[in-house]
Every structure is written in structure tokens, then in C-alpha cells.
Amino acid sequence: MMTRQAGRTAGSPGGPANTHPEPHGGQVLTTRVGLRMPARMAYDEWERAGQQLAGVLDSSSWWLGDWLVYGKDHYTDRYRRGIRAAGLSYQTLRNYAWVARRFGLARRRPALSFQHHAELASMPAGEQDLWLDRAEAGRWSTKQLRAALRAARPDERRPRTLTEPSGRLEVPGHRLRRWHAAAEQLGVDFEQWVTATLDSAAASALDARDPVRPVAVSA
């Protein structure tokens, strides 16, 4: 059994508070800087504590993602200040928020981890649900899901011709940071901004290469 430890525990009247109580029985006490484990603990209790800790870690990814989504939606000009006040990393939160936006509460699978969902976040909603169904039914680990996704894309293992796009672009870090800043300034998702910008540039280039020709009209 795992319980949370308060910041201070009452001691004797007028005496100092006991800030490090000894665990009782099979309890694991959580503190801000670690766990206080009992001197003797059955394996089953130790294993159960690990499952609870893993559950908290996984849930916190969703919690933080939803927290940032709410902040960006309601406090566009101040949410960065809230992140700094909480002492959190924006880069990590941005990734959590992206996955949280891609999966509304009603579509999240409690039986699967946050990372399962993250593996599928870039897909259309219909494909996401299909793979979530498969992973849930097969009780796949994240590694098994990743392997199944690779197996379902045999084209990625085929040697590419010189005319076939690789699907991968090496970009210097300073450019990525600048692009992220531009997307944030506009308040849009980074990948959506990149796609829209490249589509617009491609349309302009193709239109310039293929100018409109006059159409002959018979009298």
C-alpha cells in the first residue's frame, strides 16, 4: 500500500515536527524527494507499489497535457508565465499537449499508456481508433505496437529510388527553434503550421512553373 506523506507531521505538543516518519507496516510513503520504504516488505506489496507509481507517472502525462491545452486556450498571452511559475519544461509540456489534443477524453483508453497514444498521434482519427482497438485487444506493450506499425508499412523497408522523397528532412536546430516560435506566435500546432506553409510555397512554385495559358474561344 502506498500513501502520500504530508509536508510536516505533528510531533509532541510544543516540540519540533517529525518530518521523516518511519513507514508503518507495508506502507510506502511518498515524499517530494523520494520514497520511504518499510524495512520489511512482501514481494506482492512491492510489485503493487510499482504498478501504482507507474500509473501515476502515466496519468501525469495526460494531466500536464490537458493543463497546458487549457492554458493555451484560455490564457493565450499568459500561459508561458504559468509554466515558468510551475517550474516545468515547455518542450516536454508541448509534446504532452499535442497528444492530449489529438485524443479527446472520450477517446483515450485507460488500459493503454500515454505512450501508446503518442505512437499513434500523427494518424487520422479513424486509424488511431483501429490501432488502439488492436493494441487493447492484444494487450500489446508500446514496443509491440511500434513493431506492428512498422510491419504494416512495408514500403518503408523497400529501397527508395532517387525520385522518391525520403520523408525525412534534416534541419539545423536554430531553424527548428525559429519555426516553433513562429507557430507559437500564431497559436497553431507546429506540424499544422509547417504543413500549411510548405503547401502554400509548393502551390506558388507550381503555379509559377505552369503559367495560365489563354484558352481559345470560338466565335
Side-chain angles (χ1 to χ4, degrees):
M1 182 176 182
M2 188 170 61
T3 60
R4 298 189 63 181
Q5 176 186 330
R8 292 176 66 87
T9 348
S12 57
N18 177 13
T19 58
H20 298 289
E22 288 300 321
H24 298 288
Q27 290 185 345
V28 177
L29 302 182
T30 61
T31 75
R32 183 174 177 80
V33 293
L35 297 178
R36 292 188 60 76
M37 311 287 287
R40 295 184 180 276
M41 190 176 192
Y43 173 83
D44 290 346
E45 294 175 340
W46 174 81
E47 182 182 273
R48 186 163 57 251
Q51 292 172 348
Q52 292 175 351
L53 289 168
V56 170
L57 179 63
D58 189 67
S59 297
S60 67
S61 299
W62 288 118
W63 299 336
L64 289 169
D66 289 336
W67 177 77
L68 182 59
V69 167
Y70 185 93
K72 292 183 73 171
D73 290 346
H74 291 79
Y75 311 111
T76 307
D77 57 337
R78 290 179 292 167
Y79 77 95
R80 284 294 198 101
R81 188 175 74 188
I83 293 171
R84 289 193 296 269
L88 298 168
S89 162
Y90 175 71
Q91 180 64 29
T92 300
L93 288 181
R94 188 184 66 83
N95 295 335
Y96 291 164
W98 181 64
V99 178
R101 280 196 188 277
R102 298 289 292 163
F103 294 94
L105 280 169
R107 295 183 55 236
R108 299 174 189 176
R109 308 295 177 90
L112 300 175
S113 71
F114 179 88
Q115 192 56 42
H116 281 92
H117 294 77
E119 292 288 338
L120 307 172
S122 62
M123 294 181 173
E127 290 185 42
Q128 291 172 347
D129 291 335
L130 175 65
W131 283 103
L132 288 173
D133 287 340
R134 291 174 177 173
E136 195 168 18
R139 297 184 178 182
W140 290 347
S141 65
T142 306
K143 185 177 180 180
Q144 288 173 317
L145 172 59
R146 196 176 298 127
L149 290 170
R150 282 198 301 267
R153 302 187 188 110
D155 290 346
E156 292 186 358
R157 298 195 302 272
R158 178 166 50 85
R160 300 181 184 276
T161 64
L162 293 176
T163 58
E164 183 180 3
S166 68
R168 186 178 183 86
L169 180 64
E170 297 293 336
V171 180
H174 70 277
R175 285 188 176 177
L176 269 179
R177 289 190 292 272
R178 184 176 176 81
W179 296 349
H180 275 293
E184 288 173 27
Q185 185 70 25
L186 294 173
V188 298
D189 178 77
F190 173 69
E191 290 196 4
Q192 292 176 350
W193 179 83
V194 169
T195 302
T197 303
L198 290 177
D199 281 344
S200 177
S204 298
L206 293 174
D207 288 346
R209 188 183 67 181
D210 187 20
V212 177
R213 297 181 175 85
V215 179
V217 180
S218 57

